[in-house]
Each structure stands twice: as structure tokens, then as C-alpha cells.
Amino acid sequence: MTKHDLIIRIAGEGGEGIISAGDMITQACARAGLDVYTFKTFPAEIKGGYAMYQLRASSERLYNQGDSFDVLCAFNGEAYDLNHTRLQPGTVLVYDSPGGDFEPDIPEGVHAYPIPMTATAKDLKSPRAKNMVALGALSQLFDIPEASLREVIAAKFARKGDTVVQANLTAFAQGRALAAAQTKTDAYAVEHAKEKRDVVVMSGNHAIGLGALIAGLDFYSAYPITPATEIAQYVARHLPKRGGTLIQAEDEIASISQVVGASYAGKKAMTATSGPGLSLMSEMLGMAFMSETPCVVVDVQRGGPSTGLPTKHEQSDLFLAVHGSHGDAGRIVLAVESVQDCIGLTVQAFNLAEKYQVPVLLLSDGSLAFSTQTIPYPDPDSYQKVERKRWDGEGEYKRYAQTEDHISPMADPGTHGATHIATGLEHNELGMPNYTPANHEAMQAKRFGKLKDVVTDFPAAEIDGDGEAELGIIAWGSSIGVVREAVQRLRDEGRKVKGFYPKLLCPLPAGQFEAFGATCGRLLIPEVNYQGQLAHFVRAETSLRPESYTVCGGLPFTPGMIVRKVKEMLA
Amino acid sequence: MNAPHPVLHPQTHLHKVALQSKEYKDNVNPFWCPGCGHHGVLTSLLRALSEVGVDPNFLVNISGIGCSSRLPYFVKSYKMHTLHGRAGPVATGAQLARPDLAIVVSGGDGDGFSIGGGHMPHLARKNVNVTYVLMDNHVYGLTKCQASPTSRREMKTVTTPYGGVEEPLDPVLYMLTYGASYVAQSYAANAKLTTRLIKEGMEHKGFAFINVLSHCPTFNEVDDAKSFKEASDEVTAEHDVTDLDAAMHVVNMATRAGRIPTGLLYKVERPTLDERMAELVQRVGGHADYDLKQIIDLSRP
């Protein structure tokens, strides 16, 4: 298989400009028309600690962060120590030397380029421009578009004045010169783009914020939590421009309560959190289901249980998302694969909430939250937007009227003749408390009856591959992007493998799972959690008996891991 | 409903109509015990609504869980019967979403100051434009007699059969400290004062907190209607309601003497949360037709 991509990992101490150097390469590659997919880890601490930015660039469409890096750019000894086992023969090491804090023994077959990053920045009297020296060296060595990078650097520092811009450009040029003076022994370079494309570069978190704006968000209640906070950050900046309201609440219970209050008052409302916050919201999610109040809750999953691994990746809130509330409390659960999905599925989440008058939970995860990706420019007018069904003013108003599709028209406060109560108590069609067996049965049937149509209303899960397969891989969330590449690689090697990529996880489209399973000899569900949460639901709700492949090391799968697992299974 | 056409009142931002207090009564009968102070609070509330003249179509009653939290069922309006302790933040969301609505929160001492106690400071400091009527009977009634955060220490309940071990808190002292812009206290049997305080609270622009001591004839034998009346000292005309120190002094002196300070204790005007939000939107030039592409363009590489 021809290699179309280049993966560069920049690593060092937090605060040394690792993330901004990575971002600049990302921006420059995107400007040059390349597809970019980034993956970052940073410390839970504010200052210091290990920071890492990995970017994958290609002229082809990218679906994940890749297996490992081709190029490691190590800013310090710790970064080298943490990554040197991945320096396989043929990979490249660019490192701070002479003048850095370490001098590695170069492993056999590794192409090494010592660049005096710290020393050069010091000589130029701009010690904070160490990352610019590195950037210049990387640009020279791997043909990262120089003109684009210069533009990006100038734009980045424009606010700090021309002197700062020039100092950084000088450091950048110096980095290029230092690299040019060395003999290039490797063959890596970023590809040239095939065509100029109209794109944006966004992180998963910002894309969810944008999706909400496109959907017509009016009200957002925020409570800070890693790794979801950037959603609120984006919305706080842009929602007021649209005349909407973002408020920070005193806790997540207050956040979801405010959302339910705003939605009752007739507005499209949401909140976003991570696992600990979702745990706190559980009771009010039940109230939203009971009172049939539309709302959208985003859960950017992180490592758990409890405080867990706050900045790390995991897909372990599916049980909570599907079942987290007492009593039989229904909801709709969606999970995003990519930054592109973060826009589209957020719009869908609002549409489903409005149409079915239920809480809709949208699951994202820690790596997608901060992963920046190039996506086609999203045209806000191309998305369909759904509004809740409102009372037409005819006859007596019954808030919880039994109807054919189980959906009862809502009435905003201020509507004449439609005063009614939204209550968490079991109630009759008028909203009045009623605890009779017949009424409770009828109303639960109504509330769950609404959800029956969701499976057919929502686009069918994508099937990757045709005909019969030896093995089918079912993936959810950001693992889908990894599986896409694994399936392709396996197929290129002549294996009969298919993929199945559901985005709607509750209600589970069991029929679609069955149909897919019927075409596969064996089934595998890779998930980044300990218990195999999706596999559990599939075993419970279908006749399928998938095998589970679970990891929970705080990192996403790589395509190579899936390929190895499948080969092991089919050996 | 054939209500007269509502008028947005320039001073209070309320949609107004002319209705009798009985016309605010919904056709559900209160489920409270005979002799319960809550009946009196409801009567005062209905009178206050009539005196304010708020349009029931633009009124939202919001409550949590407990005996007193059933109140919205008995008032003709839009309403929400939410979760234990959560009426405050639900009301905050509704108010910010629709600042043209008149919002009344009702609930008990356990609902407001035990399970919901974490929300109280924020309703007050943010100056959320709602009227909060706390029906304080010093006991959990709906669950049949447990100690509440306002129960006297010596009170025997099913969870304190030998008498309690905790000191009670004083809701009005807390709300003064939290920065509420309107703090008042009354007792249920004093319909005249309660009506006036609720009415003025609704007309107050900002967070209005009215603690109404409401006797529970079923589970609280100590604090009956008579004891509330006898211990009440209504603040005099000389009391400066804009002076926070004076308000705290009145409350502290009364408490020390075993008395209950009633009347309007504190009232100041400051911007409400929704006003500040509207000002913010104006400052950034926000409007519903703002072109999303201008926002999306910021993410171009």
C-alpha cells in the first residue's frame, strides 16, 4: 500500500509552545489543501508536565490519528524518554542539540537531525521562539509549505506587533537554514495537495458548538469540566452574536435544570459535560423524559470511574447515557465519529429532541474533543432544522394528549388557553397527577411509543463492504475512524472483512445489527472501555454474539491494533 | 380562556390584566391538611396576583418537592412541578429564556435550604428576576415528620425521637448574606402582610425572597399559628430597607430575643441577570439574523 500520509509528533514540556507549533503546521497544511487529523495529550496541570501534539497530513481523506509517528520532534529529554521505544528503524528523530538537556544514543536505522533549538533561540535573543526554530527545521526537512507557514506565523503574532512577528519569522528562517545544512537521509515529505478545497479546521468541541448554533440554539447552561469546557467556550463567544444566552451555573444539576426550564419556556436549550457531570444530571434527565421536555446533553467522555483520568480518552459512559436515571426513563443516545459528525449529529440531536420531546444525549470523547480536523466548509443553510410541534389553538388543550404517533403538541407560556403543568409526577393527558395502574401503563406506553419511530427516522448505520465476510467489525464513536482504516488495510491484504458504524445507539437499531451480523462469520466490537459496553447491549438486544476487544489505557485504538487483533482471530 | 388583551407594563415588565383573586384559582383543590398554614399562603398569593394584575398566560409557577411544592397545581397559570430542590435553577432557565414571563417559585424549608441549599446563593447574587415564596414550617411534612434545617433543636421528629442535635438556620439571614435584593418575612396567618410582601416582591425588579412561616398542624406541635403570631415583631416605618447592616441587625436582635422579625427587611435596586444578559447581547451587536457564516469563517485555515 502506498504511503500517502506523514505523521509528525512534537513533544516536550507544557508551556514550550508544543501545541502552538503543532497548530501552525496544521493550519499551514490545511491552507495548502491537505487533509489534517491531529491528536494531542496535555497534562492535567496548568504549568509544566509532558505535552504532545501529533499531526497527520495527507492529500487523501484521513479518518484517524494513525498508528504511530514517522517523525518525532523532541524538545527535551523527557519527550525522548517517553517516545524512544517507538523510534523504529526508518523513523526520524529531530531533537534539541547541541544545547538541549539530553544527548540520545541514536537507535540503529533511525534518521537523526540534531537542531540546536534552545541555543539558537537564545542567540537570537528570543528564548520563547524555540518552537519557531523547530518549526523551521521541520518545514525544511519535510517540505511543509513554507509560504503558508510564514502566513500562519505572521497571523498568529500579528496582535503582538511587527517586532514580535519579525523575531519569530527570523527564528523560523534560522531553523530552516540549520536543517538545510544537514544531509537529508530519509525520504519523508508531506504530499502536495491534489486540489484546492474550501475547508475549515476545527476541533470536535468547537464543532459541537457550531452544530448547536446551526441547529438554532437559544440557551446554553455551562459548568466547567474537562474535556468538555471548550464547547461552552465556543458557544459563549458566539451565541450572544445570535442574541442567545449562555450562563454558567453553580453545578451540573443546576445546568440541566436551567436547560429544562428554558426548554419549557419554548427555547432550544442544551448543556455539555463529561461523565461526572452526567452522573449528577441523571435525575433531571428522568424529569425531562417524564415531562416530555426537549433537551440536548453532550457528554464528552473521559477516563473513569469517579474522577478517573480527566484528560484521557475513554468510551465508557454508554451504560450511563442509556440507563442513567431511576425508573424506566427513555432517551435517545447518539455518538459522533469525527469532527464532521460533531456538526451534523449535534443538529440531528436538536431535531430529534424537538420532534420527539425527549432528552437527547450526544456522546463524544476525550481524543475527539481536542482533535482538529480539516472538514469541508459547512454550509449552515444545508442542514434541515426541526421545530417542536406546537398547539394549533383548536379545542381543549391537553398537554399530554394521546395521539397516533404519541407526540402531543406543546404550548409555550404566553399561549392563550393552554396553561398547563410540566410535572415529574405520573399524570394524565392534562398533566394532573394520576397514579392509577391503567394510566401509568398508558402513559409509559405513550412515552416509549414515541421512541419506536426513531430507529426508522434516523439514517441507517453505514455498512463498510459488500457481500459475505469472514469477520464483521462493529465500532462506535471515534473508534469508527480507526476501524475504517483497519478494514481497508485488511481488505487490501485480501481478507474478507466488513465494518458496521452505528451512530444511533439508543434506541438500538437491532434489526440493522441483525442484518449486518447475518452476513458475517464472526463479529468483533472494539471499544475503549473495560466492560465492553456496546457489546453488552448488542448481546442483550439481538441474537448476535459478538466478541469484545476492549482496551482502557487512556488512549484511542490505532488501525494497527485492530489489524493485529483481526489477524489473530482469523489465524 | 377569554382573558383581556395583555399589556406589557412598562415599570414591571409584566403582562397585565384585571382579574379577581378567585379567578387565579385553578380548579384543583388543595391537598393540604385542614388547618395547614399553606392554605393561607395560597390565599395571599392569589390576592397578590390579582393586585399585581399579572396575566395568568404569562405567569409561571415553579416548585420543587414537598407539601408546599404542590402549590402550582392550585394556581391558574403555566407551571412546573420539578425535582426536590431544583425549582430555583429551573426557574432561572425559564426566566432567562423568556424575561417577559412573571415567575413565582414556591417550596419548603427542606426543599430550599437542605437539598436545594446550594442554589440559593446563586439565585440571590445573580439577581434572577423571580419571586421566591418559601413556606417555612420547620418540618418535612410530606414524608411525615422529619427534622428540617429550620427545625428547633429540641423538636422531636421520627428522625430525632430524643430531640435533635443540630441548630437550625435562619433563611432570611442567609438570603441577606447571599445578596438577595429583596428579603421579607411574614407568617401564614397574617394574610394582609403576606399579600403585600408577595405583591411588592413580584413588582420588585430582581430576586425577591419572602419567607412565610407556615404552621404544620399535623407534625409540628411546637410552632403553631398562635406562636408565630405572638413572636412576630413587624419592622417599624423607621426601618431603612435599603440599609443591609440595619436589616441584619434587626434579624440578629430579634433572634437573640426569641422573636421573629416580619415585614420588608431589605430592598435595593440593581440590574437583574436578564438585563445584564440583554446588555451583553446589545454590546456585541447580537441579533437573531446574525450571519452564521461570519462565525464559520473564523475557522478557515
Side-chain angles (χ1 to χ4, degrees), chain B residues 274-300:
Chain B
D274 63 288
E275 282 176 342
R276 287 235 164 101
M277 194 55 68
E279 187 273 325
L280 184 153
V281 167
Q282 202 171 26
R283 194 153 21 99
V284 302
H287 55 90
D289 299 325
Y290 187 93
D291 187 3
L292 269 175
K293 286 183 179 166
Q294 285 191 50
I295 295 170
I296 301 170
D297 285 344
L298 298 171
S299 296
R300 285 187 189 276

PDB file of all heavy atoms in Angstrom, chain B residues 274-300:
ATOM      1  N   ASP B 274     -31.111  38.927  33.666  1.00  0.00           N
ATOM      2  CA  ASP B 274     -31.572  39.008  32.274  1.00  0.00           C
ATOM      3  C   ASP B 274     -31.266  40.377  31.672  1.00  0.00           C
ATOM      4  O   ASP B 274     -30.953  40.482  30.482  1.00  0.00           O
ATOM      5  CB  ASP B 274     -33.056  38.665  32.167  1.00  0.00           C
ATOM      6  CG  ASP B 274     -33.944  39.633  32.901  1.00  0.00           C
ATOM      7  OD1 ASP B 274     -33.942  39.601  34.151  1.00  0.00           O
ATOM      8  OD2 ASP B 274     -34.637  40.424  32.266  1.00  0.00           O
ATOM      9  N   GLU B 275     -31.297  41.423  32.493  1.00  0.00           N
ATOM     10  CA  GLU B 275     -30.934  42.754  31.984  1.00  0.00           C
ATOM     11  C   GLU B 275     -29.467  42.792  31.581  1.00  0.00           C
ATOM     12  O   GLU B 275     -29.102  43.334  30.542  1.00  0.00           O
ATOM     13  CB  GLU B 275     -31.173  43.829  33.056  1.00  0.00           C
ATOM     14  CG  GLU B 275     -32.622  44.222  33.214  1.00  0.00           C
ATOM     15  CD  GLU B 275     -32.829  45.225  34.343  1.00  0.00           C
ATOM     16  OE1 GLU B 275     -31.947  45.366  35.225  1.00  0.00           O
ATOM     17  OE2 GLU B 275     -33.883  45.864  34.344  1.00  0.00           O
ATOM     18  N   ARG B 276     -28.631  42.217  32.454  1.00  0.00           N
ATOM     19  CA  ARG B 276     -27.198  42.202  32.141  1.00  0.00           C
ATOM     20  C   ARG B 276     -26.938  41.409  30.863  1.00  0.00           C
ATOM     21  O   ARG B 276     -26.082  41.766  30.059  1.00  0.00           O
ATOM     22  CB  ARG B 276     -26.420  41.570  33.305  1.00  0.00           C
ATOM     23  CG  ARG B 276     -26.341  42.486  34.522  1.00  0.00           C
ATOM     24  CD  ARG B 276     -24.893  42.705  34.926  1.00  0.00           C
ATOM     25  NE  ARG B 276     -24.725  43.846  35.816  1.00  0.00           N
ATOM     26  CZ  ARG B 276     -24.579  43.744  37.129  1.00  0.00           C
ATOM     27  NH1 ARG B 276     -24.601  42.572  37.711  1.00  0.00           N
ATOM     28  NH2 ARG B 276     -24.412  44.824  37.855  1.00  0.00           N
ATOM     29  N   MET B 277     -27.689  40.310  30.699  1.00  0.00           N
ATOM     30  CA  MET B 277     -27.516  39.476  29.512  1.00  0.00           C
ATOM     31  C   MET B 277     -27.959  40.239  28.258  1.00  0.00           C
ATOM     32  O   MET B 277     -27.283  40.208  27.229  1.00  0.00           O
ATOM     33  CB  MET B 277     -28.332  38.185  29.691  1.00  0.00           C
ATOM     34  CG  MET B 277     -28.008  37.099  28.714  1.00  0.00           C
ATOM     35  SD  MET B 277     -26.257  36.639  28.655  1.00  0.00           S
ATOM     36  CE  MET B 277     -26.057  35.887  30.262  1.00  0.00           C
ATOM     37  N   ALA B 278     -29.085  40.939  28.374  1.00  0.00           N
ATOM     38  CA  ALA B 278     -29.581  41.722  27.234  1.00  0.00           C
ATOM     39  C   ALA B 278     -28.582  42.814  26.876  1.00  0.00           C
ATOM     40  O   ALA B 278     -28.329  43.092  25.697  1.00  0.00           O
ATOM     41  CB  ALA B 278     -30.942  42.332  27.571  1.00  0.00           C
ATOM     42  N   GLU B 279     -27.970  43.404  27.906  1.00  0.00           N
ATOM     43  CA  GLU B 279     -26.975  44.463  27.684  1.00  0.00           C
ATOM     44  C   GLU B 279     -25.756  43.884  26.963  1.00  0.00           C
ATOM     45  O   GLU B 279     -25.196  44.490  26.050  1.00  0.00           O
ATOM     46  CB  GLU B 279     -26.613  45.082  29.035  1.00  0.00           C
ATOM     47  CG  GLU B 279     -25.708  46.308  28.968  1.00  0.00           C
ATOM     48  CD  GLU B 279     -24.230  45.958  28.946  1.00  0.00           C
ATOM     49  OE1 GLU B 279     -23.837  44.966  29.616  1.00  0.00           O
ATOM     50  OE2 GLU B 279     -23.476  46.640  28.243  1.00  0.00           O
ATOM     51  N   LEU B 280     -25.367  42.669  27.376  1.00  0.00           N
ATOM     52  CA  LEU B 280     -24.217  41.997  26.755  1.00  0.00           C
ATOM     53  C   LEU B 280     -24.484  41.737  25.263  1.00  0.00           C
ATOM     54  O   LEU B 280     -23.634  41.986  24.405  1.00  0.00           O
ATOM     55  CB  LEU B 280     -23.949  40.686  27.495  1.00  0.00           C
ATOM     56  CG  LEU B 280     -22.740  39.825  27.112  1.00  0.00           C
ATOM     57  CD1 LEU B 280     -22.297  39.016  28.322  1.00  0.00           C
ATOM     58  CD2 LEU B 280     -23.004  38.891  25.954  1.00  0.00           C
ATOM     59  N   VAL B 281     -25.677  41.227  24.980  1.00  0.00           N
ATOM     60  CA  VAL B 281     -26.042  40.931  23.585  1.00  0.00           C
ATOM     61  C   VAL B 281     -26.004  42.218  22.760  1.00  0.00           C
ATOM     62  O   VAL B 281     -25.482  42.237  21.643  1.00  0.00           O
ATOM     63  CB  VAL B 281     -27.433  40.258  23.516  1.00  0.00           C
ATOM     64  CG1 VAL B 281     -27.958  40.242  22.077  1.00  0.00           C
ATOM     65  CG2 VAL B 281     -27.372  38.843  24.079  1.00  0.00           C
ATOM     66  N   GLN B 282     -26.502  43.300  23.360  1.00  0.00           N
ATOM     67  CA  GLN B 282     -26.507  44.585  22.671  1.00  0.00           C
ATOM     68  C   GLN B 282     -25.078  45.064  22.411  1.00  0.00           C
ATOM     69  O   GLN B 282     -24.756  45.556  21.340  1.00  0.00           O
ATOM     70  CB  GLN B 282     -27.245  45.601  23.537  1.00  0.00           C
ATOM     71  CG  GLN B 282     -27.779  46.784  22.771  1.00  0.00           C
ATOM     72  CD  GLN B 282     -28.678  47.640  23.644  1.00  0.00           C
ATOM     73  OE1 GLN B 282     -28.554  47.660  24.873  1.00  0.00           O
ATOM     74  NE2 GLN B 282     -29.587  48.358  23.019  1.00  0.00           N
ATOM     75  N   ARG B 283     -24.220  44.856  23.425  1.00  0.00           N
ATOM     76  CA  ARG B 283     -22.834  45.316  23.323  1.00  0.00           C
ATOM     77  C   ARG B 283     -22.104  44.616  22.173  1.00  0.00           C
ATOM     78  O   ARG B 283     -21.278  45.210  21.497  1.00  0.00           O
ATOM     79  CB  ARG B 283     -22.129  45.056  24.666  1.00  0.00           C
ATOM     80  CG  ARG B 283     -20.823  45.756  24.837  1.00  0.00           C
ATOM     81  CD  ARG B 283     -20.461  46.031  26.316  1.00  0.00           C
ATOM     82  NE  ARG B 283     -21.113  45.217  27.304  1.00  0.00           N
ATOM     83  CZ  ARG B 283     -20.557  44.136  27.892  1.00  0.00           C
ATOM     84  NH1 ARG B 283     -19.356  43.731  27.557  1.00  0.00           N
ATOM     85  NH2 ARG B 283     -21.222  43.485  28.829  1.00  0.00           N
ATOM     86  N   VAL B 284     -22.390  43.308  21.971  1.00  0.00           N
ATOM     87  CA  VAL B 284     -21.715  42.601  20.872  1.00  0.00           C
ATOM     88  C   VAL B 284     -22.488  42.719  19.557  1.00  0.00           C
ATOM     89  O   VAL B 284     -22.122  42.103  18.562  1.00  0.00           O
ATOM     90  CB  VAL B 284     -21.458  41.104  21.201  1.00  0.00           C
ATOM     91  CG1 VAL B 284     -20.634  40.962  22.456  1.00  0.00           C
ATOM     92  CG2 VAL B 284     -22.758  40.323  21.325  1.00  0.00           C
ATOM     93  N   GLY B 285     -23.546  43.514  19.583  1.00  0.00           N
ATOM     94  CA  GLY B 285     -24.328  43.723  18.358  1.00  0.00           C
ATOM     95  C   GLY B 285     -25.090  42.482  17.935  1.00  0.00           C
ATOM     96  O   GLY B 285     -25.277  42.217  16.750  1.00  0.00           O
ATOM     97  N   GLY B 286     -25.512  41.687  18.915  1.00  0.00           N
ATOM     98  CA  GLY B 286     -26.172  40.419  18.614  1.00  0.00           C
ATOM     99  C   GLY B 286     -27.603  40.578  18.122  1.00  0.00           C
ATOM    100  O   GLY B 286     -28.313  41.467  18.563  1.00  0.00           O
ATOM    101  N   HIS B 287     -27.982  39.720  17.202  1.00  0.00           N
ATOM    102  CA  HIS B 287     -29.368  39.653  16.739  1.00  0.00           C
ATOM    103  C   HIS B 287     -29.606  38.294  16.085  1.00  0.00           C
ATOM    104  O   HIS B 287     -28.652  37.652  15.618  1.00  0.00           O
ATOM    105  CB  HIS B 287     -29.700  40.790  15.776  1.00  0.00           C
ATOM    106  CG  HIS B 287     -28.769  40.865  14.606  1.00  0.00           C
ATOM    107  ND1 HIS B 287     -28.996  40.193  13.438  1.00  0.00           N
ATOM    108  CD2 HIS B 287     -27.585  41.509  14.450  1.00  0.00           C
ATOM    109  CE1 HIS B 287     -27.994  40.427  12.599  1.00  0.00           C
ATOM    110  NE2 HIS B 287     -27.121  41.214  13.193  1.00  0.00           N
ATOM    111  N   ALA B 288     -30.872  37.884  16.040  1.00  0.00           N
ATOM    112  CA  ALA B 288     -31.212  36.531  15.591  1.00  0.00           C
ATOM    113  C   ALA B 288     -30.776  36.267  14.156  1.00  0.00           C
ATOM    114  O   ALA B 288     -30.547  35.119  13.778  1.00  0.00           O
ATOM    115  CB  ALA B 288     -32.703  36.298  15.748  1.00  0.00           C
ATOM    116  N   ASP B 289     -30.646  37.317  13.325  1.00  0.00           N
ATOM    117  CA  ASP B 289     -30.305  37.119  11.919  1.00  0.00           C
ATOM    118  C   ASP B 289     -28.803  37.211  11.646  1.00  0.00           C
ATOM    119  O   ASP B 289     -28.386  37.243  10.492  1.00  0.00           O
ATOM    120  CB  ASP B 289     -31.034  38.163  11.052  1.00  0.00           C
ATOM    121  CG  ASP B 289     -32.535  38.026  11.192  1.00  0.00           C
ATOM    122  OD1 ASP B 289     -33.005  36.876  11.332  1.00  0.00           O
ATOM    123  OD2 ASP B 289     -33.231  39.053  11.190  1.00  0.00           O
ATOM    124  N   TYR B 290     -28.014  37.282  12.710  1.00  0.00           N
ATOM    125  CA  TYR B 290     -26.553  37.364  12.527  1.00  0.00           C
ATOM    126  C   TYR B 290     -26.090  36.205  11.642  1.00  0.00           C
ATOM    127  O   TYR B 290     -26.428  35.046  11.887  1.00  0.00           O
ATOM    128  CB  TYR B 290     -25.875  37.293  13.895  1.00  0.00           C
ATOM    129  CG  TYR B 290     -24.386  37.546  13.860  1.00  0.00           C
ATOM    130  CD1 TYR B 290     -23.878  38.826  14.064  1.00  0.00           C
ATOM    131  CD2 TYR B 290     -23.483  36.507  13.642  1.00  0.00           C
ATOM    132  CE1 TYR B 290     -22.510  39.063  14.044  1.00  0.00           C
ATOM    133  CE2 TYR B 290     -22.111  36.730  13.614  1.00  0.00           C
ATOM    134  CZ  TYR B 290     -21.634  38.013  13.817  1.00  0.00           C
ATOM    135  OH  TYR B 290     -20.281  38.242  13.802  1.00  0.00           O
ATOM    136  N   ASP B 291     -25.330  36.519  10.609  1.00  0.00           N
ATOM    137  CA  ASP B 291     -24.953  35.506   9.621  1.00  0.00           C
ATOM    138  C   ASP B 291     -23.965  34.498  10.214  1.00  0.00           C
ATOM    139  O   ASP B 291     -22.848  34.852  10.577  1.00  0.00           O
ATOM    140  CB  ASP B 291     -24.334  36.212   8.404  1.00  0.00           C
ATOM    141  CG  ASP B 291     -24.075  35.224   7.264  1.00  0.00           C
ATOM    142  OD1 ASP B 291     -24.434  34.033   7.417  1.00  0.00           O
ATOM    143  OD2 ASP B 291     -23.511  35.652   6.238  1.00  0.00           O
ATOM    144  N   LEU B 292     -24.396  33.255  10.276  1.00  0.00           N
ATOM    145  CA  LEU B 292     -23.544  32.206  10.835  1.00  0.00           C
ATOM    146  C   LEU B 292     -22.230  32.057  10.073  1.00  0.00           C
ATOM    147  O   LEU B 292     -21.221  31.636  10.639  1.00  0.00           O
ATOM    148  CB  LEU B 292     -24.287  30.869  10.803  1.00  0.00           C
ATOM    149  CG  LEU B 292     -25.105  30.500  12.047  1.00  0.00           C
ATOM    150  CD1 LEU B 292     -25.876  29.213  11.786  1.00  0.00           C
ATOM    151  CD2 LEU B 292     -24.177  30.326  13.243  1.00  0.00           C
ATOM    152  N   LYS B 293     -22.267  32.394   8.796  1.00  0.00           N
ATOM    153  CA  LYS B 293     -21.037  32.226   8.003  1.00  0.00           C
ATOM    154  C   LYS B 293     -19.911  33.110   8.528  1.00  0.00           C
ATOM    155  O   LYS B 293     -18.740  32.752   8.418  1.00  0.00           O
ATOM    156  CB  LYS B 293     -21.318  32.521   6.524  1.00  0.00           C
ATOM    157  CG  LYS B 293     -22.111  31.388   5.882  1.00  0.00           C
ATOM    158  CD  LYS B 293     -22.353  31.615   4.411  1.00  0.00           C
ATOM    159  CE  LYS B 293     -23.125  30.425   3.848  1.00  0.00           C
ATOM    160  NZ  LYS B 293     -23.693  30.689   2.539  1.00  0.00           N
ATOM    161  N   GLN B 294     -20.273  34.238   9.116  1.00  0.00           N
ATOM    162  CA  GLN B 294     -19.236  35.095   9.711  1.00  0.00           C
ATOM    163  C   GLN B 294     -18.520  34.368  10.843  1.00  0.00           C
ATOM    164  O   GLN B 294     -17.345  34.583  11.101  1.00  0.00           O
ATOM    165  CB  GLN B 294     -19.874  36.371  10.267  1.00  0.00           C
ATOM    166  CG  GLN B 294     -20.280  37.369   9.197  1.00  0.00           C
ATOM    167  CD  GLN B 294     -20.650  38.705   9.832  1.00  0.00           C
ATOM    168  OE1 GLN B 294     -19.905  39.239  10.633  1.00  0.00           O
ATOM    169  NE2 GLN B 294     -21.831  39.208   9.486  1.00  0.00           N
ATOM    170  N   ILE B 295     -19.279  33.531  11.553  1.00  0.00           N
ATOM    171  CA  ILE B 295     -18.695  32.752  12.650  1.00  0.00           C
ATOM    172  C   ILE B 295     -17.879  31.587  12.083  1.00  0.00           C
ATOM    173  O   ILE B 295     -16.762  31.319  12.518  1.00  0.00           O
ATOM    174  CB  ILE B 295     -19.810  32.244  13.601  1.00  0.00           C
ATOM    175  CG1 ILE B 295     -20.496  33.444  14.285  1.00  0.00           C
ATOM    176  CG2 ILE B 295     -19.245  31.272  14.637  1.00  0.00           C
ATOM    177  CD1 ILE B 295     -21.758  33.104  15.044  1.00  0.00           C
ATOM    178  N   ILE B 296     -18.443  30.920  11.083  1.00  0.00           N
ATOM    179  CA  ILE B 296     -17.759  29.756  10.491  1.00  0.00           C
ATOM    180  C   ILE B 296     -16.449  30.183   9.818  1.00  0.00           C
ATOM    181  O   ILE B 296     -15.438  29.484   9.897  1.00  0.00           O
ATOM    182  CB  ILE B 296     -18.688  29.026   9.495  1.00  0.00           C
ATOM    183  CG1 ILE B 296     -19.954  28.551  10.217  1.00  0.00           C
ATOM    184  CG2 ILE B 296     -17.971  27.838   8.849  1.00  0.00           C
ATOM    185  CD1 ILE B 296     -21.045  28.034   9.307  1.00  0.00           C
ATOM    186  N   ASP B 297     -16.467  31.365   9.200  1.00  0.00           N
ATOM    187  CA  ASP B 297     -15.265  31.855   8.503  1.00  0.00           C
ATOM    188  C   ASP B 297     -14.064  31.970   9.443  1.00  0.00           C
ATOM    189  O   ASP B 297     -12.915  31.885   8.988  1.00  0.00           O
ATOM    190  CB  ASP B 297     -15.544  33.223   7.855  1.00  0.00           C
ATOM    191  CG  ASP B 297     -16.406  33.090   6.603  1.00  0.00           C
ATOM    192  OD1 ASP B 297     -16.525  31.959   6.088  1.00  0.00           O
ATOM    193  OD2 ASP B 297     -16.967  34.113   6.155  1.00  0.00           O
ATOM    194  N   LEU B 298     -14.322  32.154  10.724  1.00  0.00           N
ATOM    195  CA  LEU B 298     -13.223  32.265  11.690  1.00  0.00           C
ATOM    196  C   LEU B 298     -12.425  30.962  11.795  1.00  0.00           C
ATOM    197  O   LEU B 298     -11.301  30.954  12.294  1.00  0.00           O
ATOM    198  CB  LEU B 298     -13.764  32.642  13.076  1.00  0.00           C
ATOM    199  CG  LEU B 298     -14.482  33.998  13.171  1.00  0.00           C
ATOM    200  CD1 LEU B 298     -15.146  34.155  14.525  1.00  0.00           C
ATOM    201  CD2 LEU B 298     -13.500  35.138  12.922  1.00  0.00           C
ATOM    202  N   SER B 299     -13.017  29.865  11.341  1.00  0.00           N
ATOM    203  CA  SER B 299     -12.326  28.573  11.420  1.00  0.00           C
ATOM    204  C   SER B 299     -11.645  28.191  10.110  1.00  0.00           C
ATOM    205  O   SER B 299     -11.146  27.079   9.969  1.00  0.00           O
ATOM    206  CB  SER B 299     -13.312  27.470  11.816  1.00  0.00           C
ATOM    207  OG  SER B 299     -13.802  27.720  13.105  1.00  0.00           O
ATOM    208  N   ARG B 300     -11.647  29.101   9.159  1.00  0.00           N
ATOM    209  CA  ARG B 300     -10.882  28.815   7.932  1.00  0.00           C
ATOM    210  C   ARG B 300      -9.395  28.798   8.285  1.00  0.00           C
ATOM    211  O   ARG B 300      -8.959  29.573   9.129  1.00  0.00           O
ATOM    212  CB  ARG B 300     -11.131  29.906   6.884  1.00  0.00           C
ATOM    213  CG  ARG B 300     -12.483  29.823   6.199  1.00  0.00           C
ATOM    214  CD  ARG B 300     -12.497  30.857   5.060  1.00  0.00           C
ATOM    215  NE  ARG B 300     -13.816  31.019   4.473  1.00  0.00           N
ATOM    216  CZ  ARG B 300     -14.314  30.224   3.528  1.00  0.00           C
ATOM    217  NH1 ARG B 300     -13.609  29.199   3.099  1.00  0.00           N
ATOM    218  NH2 ARG B 300     -15.514  30.429   3.039  1.00  0.00           N
TER     219      ARG B 300
END
